[in-house]
Amino acid sequence: MKDILKVLKNAVAKDSTINIFKCLHLYGDRIQAQNGRITIDAPIASMGDFTIDADRFIKAVYACDGEPEVKITPNGQLSLKKGSFRAVLPLYDNADFPRVERDADGEVLTPTMPILQPLSRLLPMCAENHVNVWLNGININDGYAYATDSTIMGRAGIGIAPKKPINIPAEAIAELIRIGIEPTRIIVTGASITFDLGDIWLRAQLFNVDWPDVRKRFDNLNYGEPVPDCLLENIEKIIPFCVDQRLQDIRFSESGISTAEGKNSASIGDSPLPPGKYTGAILRKALTVATHANFANYPKEIGFKGDNIEGLFMGMRE
């Protein structure tokens, strides 16, 4: 039971004012959690149909040394006990839980390759809570997945090609990656996407704001030269010495890499690089996945590529 609860816990609303979204709903031999945006549904040993506060229920299960004995008491509460431990918890009305049914109709997609790895490489390039909502998701278009936060853009082959482009919220992608099970089937409707993960399924609302068509940005992209060994490692070493930790101003030069001059600074002179000025955040996102980068193109856009991923980003202006 504990393993299943780990799968569901992030679909439970944390800060919602709607208490029912903070609940788990058990029905038959299934358990469901949803927050109004994402639903996760999984198998569980049948123990009756009930709806219960997720936080209290999970804490009670973890307090037990092994699988607890679970039953509904005559006065309508839930009893969990194991050994000397016993907890009694109130229940919600099952009818109040907006149970989501598994999508039966829609466009069915069967991935032709594992999709978790390319999605995990793109996820850090998504924006978070950006006012331009489309930036907060990953776009699937013509067999590729795209992500951008407006400072860096990447794309990777994804092995699925829906009839129309779709924009999947980064929140749903993060949950899919966290669960760590490759989807065997994907169902796309006009408003949602469902990932079949064996006996588990995850359903998410799609963003109804379309991406612009960015495919031409990748035409004839110059990936430049191999990234010097230990470049990202060396950047991490000097970032703590940036005066402005929000900006993390990193300079490239024929002498190597350095922080901007200030009350504290640092440099490493291992490898000469084309002159340029970058933020630490962009370099982290690019160099985590890049094997090649066209730093010589600064101050114009810098193309990069890695294993089944390519992209571009901009340096800082002088």
Side-chain angles (χ1 to χ4, degrees), residues 77 82 92 145 150 163 171 180 187 190 258 314:
Q77 294 179 300
K82 181 71 175 181
Y92 285 76
S150 78
K163 294 175 183 177
E171 178 187 17
I187 301 174
S258 64
M314 297 295 294

Side-chain angles (χ1 to χ4, degrees), residues 128-151:
E128 186 175 351
N129 299 321
H130 199 283
V131 64
N132 292 321
V133 175
W134 65 273
L135 293 170
N136 301 319
I138 287 183
N139 182 45
I140 310 294
N141 187 3
D142 200 22
Y144 286 93
Y146 296 82
T148 184
D149 62 5
S150 78
T151 64

